[in-house]
Amino acid sequence: MSKQVAGAASLPSRSVGSGKAEMGDGTGVSSTTAPAKKKLSVLIVDDDLMIRTIHTILVSRVGGEVESQVAENGKVAVDLFRSGKSFDVVLMDWEMPVMNGIEATKELRNMGVSSMIVGVTSHSMDTEKDTFMAAGLDDCYEKPLSIKILKDILQKMKIDA
Amino acid sequence: MRASLEGEKQQTDQSMDGGLMQMQRRLAEYRNALFKEGILDSQYLQLQELQDESNPDFVVEVVSLFFTDSEKLLNDLSRDLAQQNVDFKRVDAHVHQLKGSSSSIGAEKVKNACIVFRNFCQEKNIPGCLRCLQQIKQEFLLVKSKLETLFKLEQQVVAAGGSIPTVQQPIL
């Protein structure tokens, strides 16, 4: 059911932080440091505030190297990408007002977005999941996600990046 | 005099500890019963695992959202089914939403009732749908009442200076 696509977003990457660091011997000699580790970014797209709350906390529990943003429907998600934002992973609900997950996924793929898009839905039948996958998802899971599944998704993301 | 005061303090501490232990035991038994009776499933435990010092009220907040959303959905469903021409697509959408949110907090009986409801929706069976709606309302009121009691017991334990023991696996 999974489809592997390049995980990196096709839009310009966000700037990374850099700063001076002091030598351990306290001499205060500054040197250039390695750029700050880029955080994985996750966009949580769901019209249900409860799910957005649960998944936001889930993402924060995965570790410090992951950050998240929310969108309450597919149109908000598409508009975020159109505005120049980029995300490594999109957790996409199916049933949403204004623009549902199938429409939003198709739109994002048409725009050339190659971020990992993972469907998260209450639809449990295989035929239903196949319909959602056909829109352009990389994978699809029943909601709510567990920490283990989220970690697997993000791990897959790091491997593909 | 001092020895007698210290002895009294020791006795008070012991009885307070005994009271706290009794509260914690009652809480654990009450919580286990909810799993045993199928009112809650393991998803509730997942929510508890997400709660920590930085989000101490996470479970209560999420469950409160569930209560509010569900009450609205149940009202919507009552209205939908009272229409002259029932829009089953709309009914199904609401039940689907309720199934999703009940599943998210581990309200197993509500979720299962929603699954049955959806079957009647697909058959466009109004009496079946109405029976299911009644069933869901009952299950919802039950889980709401049980969770409110659970939260009260947890508050009592915390107020008495105790901590809420985490449950790794429900004892069935």
Side-chain angles (χ1 to χ4, degrees), chain A residues 16-17 26 30 39 51 74 76 81 93 114 118-119 133 148 153 155:
Chain A
V16 293
S30 62
K39 286 189 178 186
I51 293 294
V76 173
F81 275 93
D93 181 28
S114 58
V118 176
M133 286 292 295
K148 184 188 177 307
I153 291 169
Q155 186 57 34

Side-chain angles (χ1 to χ4, degrees), chain A residues 37-49:
Chain A
K37 199 174 166 187
K38 180 179 175 288
K39 286 189 178 186
L40 272 181
S41 57
V42 180
L43 178 63
I44 297 161
V45 190
D46 203 304
D47 61 323
D48 188 336
L49 174 57

Side-chain angles (χ1 to χ4, degrees), chain A residues 47-51 53-61 93-95 121-125 128 142-148, chain B residues 43 46-55 58 61-63 65-66 69 93 96-97 99-105 118 122:
Chain A
D47 61 323
D48 188 336
L49 174 57
M50 200 174 75
I51 293 294
T53 305
I54 293 172
H55 286 168
T56 299
I57 298 288
L58 257 182
V59 169
S60 73
R61 281 306 188 85
D93 181 28
W94 181 340
E95 305 270 6
T121 175
S122 305
H123 289 278
S124 52
M125 288 172 56
E128 292 172 321
E142 269 188 71
K143 65 163 90 166
L145 295 175
S146 63
I147 285 188
K148 184 188 177 307
Chain B
Q43 179 56 33
Q46 295 242 21
L47 287 188
Q48 282 201 306
E49 282 178 29
L50 293 177
Q51 182 163 293
D52 61 9
E53 300 81 38
S54 61
N55 301 287
F58 173 67
E61 283 171 7
V62 168
V63 170
L65 283 172
F66 167 68
D69 289 351
H96 173 76
Q97 213 174 330
K99 179 193 157 210
S101 54
S102 58
S103 172
S104 298
I105 68 129
R118 293 194 80 195
Q122 273 160 19

Side-chain angles (χ1 to χ4, degrees), chain A:
Chain A
M1 187 175 268
S2 299
K3 185 175 73 139
Q4 293 292 330
V5 293
S10 59
L11 296 169
S13 57
R14 290 166 286 123
S15 59
V16 293
S18 61
K20 290 182 180 177
E22 290 187 351
M23 298 293 284
D25 61 3
T27 58
V29 175
S30 62
S31 61
T32 50
T33 57
K37 199 174 166 187
K38 180 179 175 288
K39 286 189 178 186
L40 272 181
S41 57
V42 180
L43 178 63
I44 297 161
V45 190
D46 203 304
D47 61 323
D48 188 336
L49 174 57
M50 200 174 75
I51 293 294
R52 292 201 303 269
T53 305
I54 293 172
H55 286 168
T56 299
I57 298 288
L58 257 182
V59 169
S60 73
R61 281 306 188 85
V62 167
E65 73 272 18
V66 189
E67 58 188 11
S68 68
Q69 194 167 336
V70 297
E72 64 263 28
N73 61 57
K75 184 174 185 305
V76 173
V78 167
D79 288 345
L80 278 170
F81 275 93
R82 277 198 213 282
S83 73
K85 289 254 171 97
S86 67
F87 300 92
D88 299 300
V89 180
V90 179
L91 301 179
M92 184 76 79
D93 181 28
W94 181 340
E95 305 270 6
M96 292 182 286
V98 186
M99 184 186 281
N100 66 32
I102 289 181
E103 292 163 346
T105 302
K106 283 181 180 171
E107 185 65 24
L108 290 173
R109 293 303 189 210
N110 285 341
M111 284 162 57
V113 169
S114 58
S115 306
M116 178 179 276
I117 305 179
V118 176
V120 187
T121 175
S122 305
H123 289 278
S124 52
M125 288 172 56
D126 285 341
T127 47
E128 292 172 321
K129 283 184 182 173
D130 287 345
T131 304
F132 203 179
M133 286 292 295
L137 297 179
D138 292 285
D139 215 332
C140 190
Y141 296 95
E142 269 188 71
K143 65 163 90 166
L145 295 175
S146 63
I147 285 188
K148 184 188 177 307
I149 288 176
L150 186 58
K151 280 184 175 174
D152 287 346
I153 291 169
L154 296 176
Q155 186 57 34
K156 211 187 282 186
M157 178 64 230
K158 286 180 191 173
I159 291 166
D160 288 348

Side-chain angles (χ1 to χ4, degrees), chain B residues 19-65:
Chain B
L20 174 58
M21 276 173 60
Q22 204 174 12
M23 269 190 251
Q24 284 175 320
R25 194 166 42 244
R26 196 168 1 136
L27 169 61
E29 282 168 1
Y30 191 82
R31 192 163 48 186
N32 284 343
L34 296 183
F35 291 104
K36 199 172 178 181
E37 291 164 24
I39 294 172
L40 294 179
D41 64 26
S42 58
Q43 179 56 33
Y44 186 80
L45 295 176
Q46 295 242 21
L47 287 188
Q48 282 201 306
E49 282 178 29
L50 293 177
Q51 182 163 293
D52 61 9
E53 300 81 38
S54 61
N55 301 287
D57 300 318
F58 173 67
V59 176
V60 170
E61 283 171 7
V62 168
V63 170
S64 299
L65 283 172

